Amino acid sequence: MAGLFGGIEAGGTKFVCAVGTGPEDIRQQTRFPTTSPDETLNRALDFFREARQHGELAGLGIVSFGPVDPDPASPHFGFITTTPKPGWAHTDFAPRFQRSLGVTVGFDTDVNGAALGEARWGAARGLQTFLYLTIGTGIGGGGLAGGQLLHGLLHPEMGHIRVPHDRNEDPFPGSCPFHGDCLEGLASGPAIEQRWGRAARELPADHAAWELEAKYLGLALSNFVCTLSPQRIILGGGVMEQTQLFPMIRHQIRQLLNGYIQSPVLQDQIDQFVVPPELGNRAGVLGAIALAQQAVAAGN
Ligand code: ADP
Ligand code: ZN
């Protein structure tokens, strides 16, 4: 597609902004910490104004931490909605960029963004139905079903599902402010740290923490396999830098499904079923660029 596109990956701790057309053609990129909405959004706006030296933008994609309103028919389309992040609830985000830059703006969740990046240029090329989950400060999931980004009532919140929690084996009550021991409350980076009293990255690879982590993630993923029938599940986020988790999670899924789902992918190709992102930590911002291209192609 002709023209230059902008992308914003808006995270709870940092923003990444880029201008280009794809992974091999990023003309300018920046990252800065997420502070107040005004300061952070103005900094992003200044970046795109300055980036006009490379040419006019044909469109902008924004993928954001949430919850967000991704429904184009809603009066609050493009807003961050009820986030507990101080100062950010009910932030006018995409409409503000549309007004200030005068370009078509695509808007979605951070995880749908990363999923779209992986679909276009990464580990999900050619797949119609797959999931992307991040296991980091929080747990979130997005993806495509039948070639379309997952939306509905709002958007999926796969990190907040309930998984069996044996309090004898694991007395940790869970860290989610809304649900206590939902998946995020049991298996996010901060949950691991609170349970074991040490930063997750400092726990050795053979620590009991990882067996428990693989168990919770295996339970969640086997539920997602039964619900959505994904062709692949991509796992990103800081916690998945513990790469020993991948074979452990694959093993859990096979045990939990117990041969019921008859696909060779779950038997001898399971190594290609649960995988890390091919685009690494660039999946989000590249997905934002892909979203901008999609929005322009759709004539939004
Ligand atoms: P965010 O979720 O804020 O976008 P990350 O995906 O990097 O950022 O997740 C940060 C979380 O991941 C932190 O809670 C941290 O404990 C955890 N984490 C980061 N690096 C590692 C690592 N090497 N091993 C285990 N956990 C990690
Ligand atoms: Zn929760």
Side-chain angles (χ1 to χ4, degrees):
M1 182 181 293
L4 275 183
F5 297 87
I8 301 177
E9 181 189 7
T13 49
K14 67 173 188 308
F15 265 50
V16 184
C17 304
V19 166
T21 61
E24 312 302 331
D25 177 32
I26 294 297
R27 311 281 173 91
Q28 199 170 333
Q29 180 165 334
T30 187
R31 57 182 61 208
F32 46 85
T34 308
T35 57
S36 70
D38 271 341
E39 184 182 19
T40 314
L41 299 183
N42 283 331
R43 201 160 166 184
L45 275 170
D46 286 344
F47 167 81
F48 289 108
R49 290 194 181 109
E50 191 198 314
R52 283 193 167 131
Q53 60 179 299
H54 303 286
E56 284 298 314
L57 288 187
L60 175 70
I62 300 174
V63 304
S64 177
F65 73 93
V68 301
D69 188 341
D71 176 4
S74 157
H76 294 114
F77 169 69
F79 277 53
I80 291 175
T81 58
T82 52
T83 180
K85 191 172 170 59
W88 282 83
H90 311 293
T91 296
D92 170 350
F93 196 165
R96 178 171 175 155
F97 279 75
Q98 199 155 24
R99 287 193 304 273
S100 303
L101 298 175
V103 294
T104 295
V105 178
F107 183 74
D108 218 310
T109 61
D110 46 7
V111 275
N112 263 353
L116 191 61
E118 290 291 323
R120 182 79 189 276
W121 295 297
R125 268 172 288 181
L127 302 184
Q128 293 290 302
T129 301
F130 73 94
L131 295 177
Y132 179 101
L133 276 97
T134 181
I135 322 295
T137 308
I139 297 183
L144 266 63
Q148 301 293 318
L149 284 167
L150 283 168
H151 295 129
L153 184 64
L154 292 168
H155 52 77
E157 286 284 4
M158 293 177 216
H160 295 269
I161 65 162
R162 308 310 174 103
V163 291
H165 175 200
D166 178 346
R167 286 176 188 262
N168 291 319
E169 180 196 21
D170 174 24
F172 179 62
S175 64
C176 175
F178 288 87
H179 316 116
D181 62 352
C182 67
L183 179 66
E184 177 173 300
L186 291 171
S188 63
I192 298 169
E193 178 165 349
Q194 286 172 38
R195 178 187 290 112
W196 301 101
R198 251 164 100 183
R201 62 155 48 87
E202 287 168 15
L203 295 168
D206 59 357
H207 194 279
W210 304 121
E211 199 54 58
L212 192 62
E213 182 72 7
K215 180 183 146 180
Y216 289 135
L217 293 175
L219 281 163
L221 267 52
S222 57
N223 288 339
F224 299 146
V225 170
C226 293
T227 313
L228 191 76
S229 204
Q231 296 163 289
R232 185 164 292 154
I233 300 178
I234 303 171
L235 297 179
V239 171
M240 294 312 299
E241 285 176 33
Q242 300 288 328
T243 51
Q244 76 277 15
L245 282 171
F246 281 94
M248 293 161 77
I249 293 166
R250 292 176 190 130
H251 178 74
Q252 290 286 338
I253 292 175
R254 284 178 55 150
Q255 285 226 314
L256 287 161
L257 294 176
N258 198 24
Y260 180 66
I261 296 181
Q262 287 287 314
S263 166
V265 174
L266 296 175
Q267 313 307 324
D268 33 306
Q269 298 156 34
I270 188 119
D271 289 359
Q272 281 101 60
F273 184 66
V274 179
V275 298
E278 262 180 40
L279 301 174
N281 62 10
R282 301 206 303 158
V285 75
L286 288 168
I289 286 177
L291 188 66
Q293 293 169 339
Q294 208 174 69
V296 169
N300 291 345

